[in-house]
Amino acid sequence: MSGATRHYVLAAGGTGGHLIPAFALATELDRRGHHVALITDERGAKIPGKPDFMPAHVLPAGRITRNPLSWFKGAAAIMEGRRMALRLFDSFQPSAVVGFGGYPAFPALLASTGAGIGSVVHEQNAVLGRVNRMLAGQVDAIATAYPDIDRLKAKHRDKVHLVGNPVRAEVLALRDEPFPPFTEDGLLRVLVTGGSQGASVLSLVVPDGLSMLQPALRQRLQVTQQCRPEDLEAVRERYRTHDIPAELGTYFEDMAARLAHAHLFIGRAGASSIAELTAVGRPAILVPLPIATDDHQAANTREMTRAGGARAIRQEAFTPKELAKQIQAIAQDPGTLANAAHAAWNCGRPKAVEELADLVESFGGSELMDVIRLADEPVGEREERYAGDAA
């Protein structure tokens, strides 16, 4: 803890993957006595879970695509977002700006790096995202969730700090709980999710794959599966036909409790999912989303699969027969499953939010410098001075 109250700005795209770690960091910085503001887009400002103490500022989030027709409009939006960010910095006087990826983070970090304000980016995936790649040469630090990061230039590796991905407090609280007892004749509880909306491929493959398990294992199944609304009845009928007990839903509010009781997870390889699986220590069959940018979900599976805590199946190879084969291998006996659970647990980084907060505080400057900054020229004028110095 720094002992001085500081101001920090967090900038994140409008998806849960970007905002969940931002909200966790905001809560930790607030606990340490700091003031925190959020920069995001209209979608992000409406996502549930934002701490009440953190005001949200919506900035234009221009995107520059491969289509040349988008360039002028995208660049104009980025520059307007940068000007708006500088006005916010003038009044809020942040000690540092932290970006979590996504296009709304880009103008905020352009403003902070140009004005000489401390800047950090956090990468949730095992591939450096597009916005973080564009900013890697300008920011002061790059916080990562995995030891191996693709698309990170060698010249920027000295900026890297491995901290992990912050997870929800209710999930982290399960880390010291033992793996649920799994015996030769006990239930095998399987949790299946495909992200916030479920995944149709899981609805198509998982029921039939579970039905192909050897009878001694199949007869002990107890399944909880999240489905898309349009898939719900068809999946229910599949499980009924296979005589496999299954609880289905389009959304489970008590996901942490369900994870606590699960012996095996089947689902996508999003950053938040893997962070939670490794925080709690749950074996997994992972099916990376094939259209994920830069194939980052496949990269996310590497650490966990190498450790023996998960098995990854590409979607094109994700058939009922292959799924049954992989489940049989990972859950063939209690010892195998428990070993996989322990391997997953060893990949967890439970102090991610504390270590990220420590890193952010390290770019806050001394208490004396904070006093000077508050009494000094506005951020916009300071940016011009930095630009002159650089020239």
Side-chain angles (χ1 to χ4, degrees), residues 44-381:
K46 297 174 183 176
I47 282 186
K50 182 181 77 65
D52 293 338
F53 59 78
M54 181 168 61
H57 302 267
V58 174
L59 262 62
R63 300 184 65 163
I64 298 177
T65 68
R66 294 180 180 177
N67 181 357
L69 296 176
S70 74
W71 294 354
F72 179 78
K73 184 178 179 181
I78 290 169
M79 296 314 295
E80 175 58 21
R82 182 173 173 274
R83 284 190 290 269
M84 292 173 66
L86 284 170
R87 289 197 293 271
L88 171 63
F89 299 165
D90 276 339
S91 60
F92 194 65
Q93 292 290 322
S95 292
V97 177
V98 188
F100 288 86
Y103 284 96
F106 190 51
L109 283 156
L110 278 181
S112 67
T113 55
I117 299 171
S119 54
V120 179
V121 293
H122 179 268
E123 178 55 62
Q124 298 90 48
N125 294 298
V127 180
L128 201 63
R130 193 167 298 160
V131 167
N132 286 347
R133 286 203 299 271
M134 289 189 288
L135 293 161
Q138 301 173 54
V139 298
D140 295 304
I142 302 169
T144 65
Y146 298 91
D148 297 321
I149 304 294
D150 295 347
R151 306 296 292 270
L152 174 67
K153 292 182 179 178
K155 64 182 179 180
H156 298 146
R157 293 191 186 277
D158 59 347
K159 297 183 180 183
V160 170
H161 301 258
L162 176 60
V163 299
N165 255 329
V167 300
R168 296 173 293 162
E170 61 266 32
V171 172
L172 195 57
L174 302 171
R175 182 164 176 82
D176 294 328
E177 298 294 320
F179 185 62
F182 177 61
T183 60
E184 295 283 359
D185 55 359
L187 290 173
L188 173 62
R189 291 189 289 271
V190 179
L191 176 63
V192 187
T193 77
S196 59
Q197 297 297 316
S200 290
V201 68
L202 298 173
S203 297
L204 288 170
V205 172
V206 173
D208 293 347
L210 293 176
S211 75
M212 296 174 72
L213 291 172
Q214 294 176 5
L217 197 56
R218 187 183 70 231
Q219 293 165 6
R220 296 152 54 201
L221 288 170
Q222 186 176 75
V223 181
T224 299
Q225 183 161 348
Q226 180 193 42
C227 309
R228 292 179 184 271
E230 61 269 27
D231 297 334
L232 200 60
E233 288 308 314
V235 176
R236 184 172 282 121
E237 182 58 34
R238 272 194 172 90
Y239 279 118
R240 189 182 296 119
T241 299
H242 296 316
D243 195 26
I244 295 173
E247 179 184 2
L248 309 179
T250 56
Y251 179 76
F252 296 115
E253 289 188 2
D254 57 342
M255 191 60 79
R258 294 173 186 276
L259 187 61
H261 292 102
H263 294 111
L264 179 65
F265 172 89
I266 302 173
R268 294 300 195 192
S272 295
S273 294
I274 290 186
E276 293 192 349
L277 290 168
T278 56
V280 179
R282 292 297 179 270
I285 306 289
L286 300 170
V287 187
L289 179 68
I291 60 171
T293 306
D294 297 320
D295 202 20
H296 68 253
Q297 286 205 3
N300 289 352
T301 69
R302 285 191 306 234
E303 184 184 24
M304 203 173 168
T305 53
R306 287 172 182 170
R311 290 165 178 263
I313 307 174
R314 286 283 191 175
Q315 185 160 309
E316 59 269 23
F318 186 57
T319 63
K321 183 177 180 180
E322 181 63 21
L323 176 62
K325 173 185 170 184
Q326 297 299 341
I327 294 174
Q328 203 75 46
I330 204 170
Q332 59 186 331
D333 60 60
T336 304
L337 195 64
N339 287 340
H342 188 64
W345 189 90
N346 279 337
C347 294
R349 296 185 173 86
K351 296 188 180 297
V353 71
E354 291 96 331
E355 293 184 6
L356 180 57
D358 290 345
L359 176 63
V360 170
E361 281 188 327
S362 75
F363 291 98
S366 69
E367 294 180 34
L368 177 61
M369 284 305 297
D370 280 3
V371 173
I372 294 171
R373 176 176 290 176
L374 286 168
D376 206 352
E377 76 269 35
V379 169
E381 294 177 20

Side-chain angles (χ1 to χ4, degrees), residues 31-47:
R31 187 188 70 78
R32 298 184 184 198
H34 303 304
H35 299 297
V36 189
L38 174 70
I39 285 176
T40 186
D41 56 16
E42 291 183 1
R43 181 175 52 161
K46 297 174 183 176
I47 282 186

